[in-house]
Amino acid sequence: MKVICPMIGLPLTVFFTLIISLVYFFLRKHFTFIENSIVFMAITMVTTNVMTILTLNLKWMKKTDNPLLFPAVLLYRDIIIPLLILIFINVFYLSFNRGRKFISFIIIFSCLFGIQALLNFLGLFEFTKWNFFYAGIVNIGYLFIGLGMARTVLFVSKRSLKQ
Amino acid sequence: MTVVYEHAFNWNEWFIIITILSLNFLIIRAPKVFSLIEGLAYYLFGIAIVLFFDHTTSVKPWDLYDVNDNSKYQFMDFLYYVMNGPFSYFFIYLYSKLRIKGHQTIFYIFIWSGFSLLLEWFGVNIGLFHYDKGYKMYWSISIYMIIQTLLIIYYHIILKTRK
């Protein structure tokens, strides 16, 4: 399917970035600023490494070569994914029952997967030896890494209080 | 196409390893100023921000320079990003220890930007960075100043949330 206006990718990514940032900003948070920022930085490191290895080393997917569209890739890699993970871990830790935790997992996974699919459709990414099944697994991986980071940060935070 | 500059394990690799070991040893030995979680945050800041800038400017479509022995992403490149963690830690450590305030901050940023530029010049000479693709070293001055200003802002936000 051909996109009528390929440059729509950038404003659309900016739109998503703003919406997700606002959702995160007004969200009731379980973690403190420093804890959230540590998880954010750790997730950006993971997403950046994953994307570079997939595109540059393995060449399993391509990202846009258009310098005007490239900021959209950066927004997706360094803000959209980490903020969605932050929203997930905060909601996850604030939820008391397993059902709500599972629903938050499904919603955030759908957002991650949906945005990835949309950016693919808009030509920001192109799968060569990659497909949506693998992309889904990577997105689930991000969510679990987020939970792992959250646990680690809580542990470090408790140790810091004891100091 | 992958550009290969060299294959040998020489100065650039040793520089990274020696810097990581010595600076981390210094972090452990230096009198503690921050709690564990704060120290971790400042340490990660350096890694995350250098990773972000490198994987933005040294990959396509911009692709302005290469790090280490070839244009692909290698484990040694990752260690180079880890190497930046102690620098950002000591940047804030000295800022806090020397009680830098007001206009002194400007001089402090200038001094650290000069020091960073000197390290970069050293890195270019030992083959850590390859600027054959058109990157100019003086472009880094503005990047250093932006990063250091952001780090100081981050420090002050953490100080505020601590109270």
Side-chain angles (χ1 to χ4, degrees):
Chain A
M1 223 177 344
K2 203 172 180 190
V3 186
I4 302 160
C5 177
M7 282 308 289
I8 193 82
L10 182 59
L12 213 61
T13 316
V14 172
F15 171 77
F16 281 126
T17 308
L18 282 173
I19 295 292
I20 292 165
S21 305
L22 287 171
V23 169
Y24 171 74
F25 185 75
F26 292 114
L27 186 80
R28 195 160 67 90
K29 295 173 194 73
H30 178 270
F31 295 93
T32 61
F33 169 77
I34 192 165
E35 290 163 351
N36 274 316
S37 65
I38 287 174
V39 176
F40 181 87
M41 289 187 286
I43 296 292
T44 56
M45 281 155 63
V46 173
T47 56
T48 308
N49 275 301
V50 167
M51 219 163 268
T52 304
I53 290 167
L54 286 179
T55 54
L56 187 75
N57 284 27
L58 301 171
K59 298 193 191 312
W60 286 354
M61 68 189 220
K62 274 186 198 168
K63 58 177 184 282
T64 180
D65 278 343
N66 184 343
L68 289 173
L69 271 178
F70 188 57
V73 175
L74 300 181
L75 287 176
Y76 172 68
R77 184 189 75 184
D78 296 304
I79 297 181
I80 292 179
I81 300 176
L83 277 188
L84 281 172
I85 303 296
L86 282 192
I87 293 170
F88 169 64
I89 59 161
N90 280 286
V91 173
F92 188 91
Y93 273 84
L94 281 174
S95 306
F96 294 109
N97 60 49
R98 282 187 181 178
R100 284 188 72 168
K101 287 181 186 198
F102 183 69
I103 289 168
S104 67
F105 184 91
I106 295 296
I107 291 173
I108 298 296
F109 172 73
S110 310
C111 290
L112 282 169
F113 194 77
I115 292 172
Q116 163 101 69
L118 187 71
L119 296 184
N120 254 50
F121 172 69
L122 295 170
L124 267 87
F125 295 103
E126 190 190 318
F127 293 162
T128 46
K129 291 176 189 167
W130 195 247
N131 57 43
F132 282 109
F133 176 70
Y134 296 146
I137 292 173
V138 169
N139 287 332
I140 290 173
Y142 288 150
L143 291 167
F144 280 110
I145 290 169
L147 284 178
M149 300 275 183
R151 251 190 120 151
T152 312
V153 159
L154 279 179
F155 173 74
V156 175
S157 212
K158 272 182 193 163
R159 275 199 63 178
S160 302
L161 283 176
K162 280 181 192 168
Q163 274 180 340
Chain B
M1 200 182 74
T2 309
V3 184
V4 179
Y5 297 98
E6 56 173 334
H7 289 290
F9 192 93
N10 47 19
W11 267 107
N12 54 326
E13 284 87 3
W14 281 118
F15 174 69
I16 293 170
I17 293 167
I18 292 167
T19 311
I20 290 177
L21 292 176
S22 55
L23 289 184
N24 280 299
F25 177 75
L26 263 181
I27 288 178
I28 295 165
R29 300 296 296 174
K32 297 282 168 286
V33 174
F34 310 119
S35 65
L36 187 62
I37 191 131
E38 284 179 21
L40 180 69
Y42 303 134
Y43 194 100
L44 277 182
F45 185 94
I47 303 173
I49 206 97
V50 176
L51 190 74
F52 166 76
F53 274 104
D54 253 24
H55 286 237
T56 302
T57 50
S58 76
V59 296
K60 280 184 177 178
W62 293 330
D63 199 12
L64 297 167
Y65 59 94
D66 287 322
V67 181
N68 279 317
D69 293 355
N70 67 54
S71 57
K72 281 206 170 182
Y73 184 44
Q74 304 162 282
F75 180 65
M76 211 29 96
D77 296 359
F78 179 73
L79 286 187
Y80 156 67
Y81 302 124
V82 175
M83 184 190 94
N84 289 284
F87 286 109
S88 65
Y89 177 88
F90 279 117
F91 176 81
I92 286 299
Y93 182 90
L94 292 174
Y95 180 82
S96 168
K97 196 95 175 157
L98 299 172
R99 296 174 194 278
I100 308 278
K101 273 182 193 148
H103 289 96
Q104 292 169 332
T105 309
I106 301 169
F107 292 108
Y108 189 68
I109 288 174
F110 272 132
I111 290 166
W112 268 88
S113 295
F115 171 67
S116 309
L117 214 60
L118 197 73
L119 273 181
E120 190 180 325
W121 173 81
F122 186 67
V124 172
N125 282 297
I126 60 168
L128 180 58
F129 308 110
H130 301 275
Y131 291 164
D132 313 20
K133 293 176 173 174
Y135 189 83
K136 300 279 178 282
M137 208 160 80
Y138 58 83
W139 294 353
S140 302
I141 300 170
S142 53
I143 296 176
Y144 290 137
M145 292 181 77
I146 292 167
I147 292 172
Q148 287 163 14
T149 309
L150 283 176
L151 186 48
I152 287 174
I153 293 169
Y154 182 55
Y155 168 72
H156 282 285
I157 295 173
I158 288 176
L159 270 191
K160 264 191 182 175
T161 52
R162 195 200 277 170
K163 289 164 194 169

